[in-house]
Amino acid sequence: MRNATTGRHHDAAGATHDLDTEHPNWEEIYARGPRWDIGRPQPAFLALAASGAVSGRVLDVGCGTGEHVLMCADIGLDATGVDIAAAAIDAAERKAHERGLNARFLRHDVRRLAELGESFDTVLDSGLLVHVINDEQDRLAYLQGLRAVVPSGGRYFVLCFRGPRSDSGPRHLVREDVTACFTEDWRVDSIEETTLDSLSDEDGIPAWLIALTRT
């Protein structure tokens, strides 16, 4: 059992820069408990970790209450999670302390990843991409930040909702949406059909598991 050491700050400049806090309001969502907060890692990411694909220094973007960060910490990896919601970060830190795991959680805007001033061998993204892909400016900022923190040869694993496209609610992506995002500085290694476990969907939500390598 490892001792819990958690650290929270805003960003490299000491300031917070929020994503749209009205649509959606992340603090309210985490206060009432989001449907994706299932209290354990997503099976697709758990299988990746078990296979050894998740390695080195790990960053979980939009980490929520920290299950994937804690999954990595539990197998001895140096794991950091970032999320804009203070309520999510607080819950993640409590879990780390209760489980005796060494993990780091930062309240930080995912559009400003370069301001972390760090590099990571593996980045995990469970559901975040669908929230930034609709706005071109947010998408470009997020992808630019990823390129800044992932060195050549680093891996990026994404779980996101699978199409058909929907007019309301979180964006469901078709294969072309995914490949269009990663035409520069990334190699798409695989795009596989899977499901996301959810508290409100007994059979899970159709999803893509995407594996990319930074070139």
Side-chain angles (χ1 to χ4, degrees), residues 67-86:
E67 289 296 337
H68 297 125
V69 178
L70 298 175
M71 171 191 75
C72 294
D74 194 43
I75 59 175
L77 299 178
D78 179 348
T80 297
V82 297
D83 202 288
I84 199 61

Side-chain angles (χ1 to χ4, degrees), residues 9 26 34 47 63 71 85 92 97-98 106 108 110 117 125 136 173 204 211:
H9 66 229
W26 298 110
C63 68
M71 171 191 75
H97 179 74
E98 291 166 358
L106 311 175
H108 192 86
V110 296
D125 175 341
E136 183 178 5
L173 308 183

Side-chain angles (χ1 to χ4, degrees), residues 33-139:
R35 62 175 180 163
W36 60 82
D37 191 14
I38 60 175
R40 53 183 169 78
Q42 287 290 336
F45 276 176
L46 194 61
L48 279 178
S51 74
V54 180
S55 62
R57 298 194 72 224
V58 180
L59 175 67
D60 182 7
V61 287
C63 68
T65 64
E67 289 296 337
H68 297 125
V69 178
L70 298 175
M71 171 191 75
C72 294
D74 194 43
I75 59 175
L77 299 178
D78 179 348
T80 297
V82 297
D83 202 288
I84 199 61
I89 294 298
D90 288 343
E93 290 180 332
R94 286 195 299 272
K95 287 182 182 180
H97 179 74
E98 291 166 358
R99 300 179 194 181
L101 292 172
N102 184 355
R104 181 175 63 148
F105 297 98
L106 311 175
R107 186 174 184 233
H108 192 86
D109 188 331
V110 296
R111 297 169 303 182
R112 298 173 178 267
L113 293 177
E115 294 177 7
L116 292 173
E118 301 180 40
S119 63
F120 298 89
D121 304 291
T122 306
V123 174
L124 302 178
D125 175 341
S126 180
L128 175 67
L129 186 62
V130 298
H131 291 291
V132 298
I133 197 172
N134 281 336
D135 184 283
E136 183 178 5
Q137 185 175 356
D138 286 348
R139 180 177 68 253

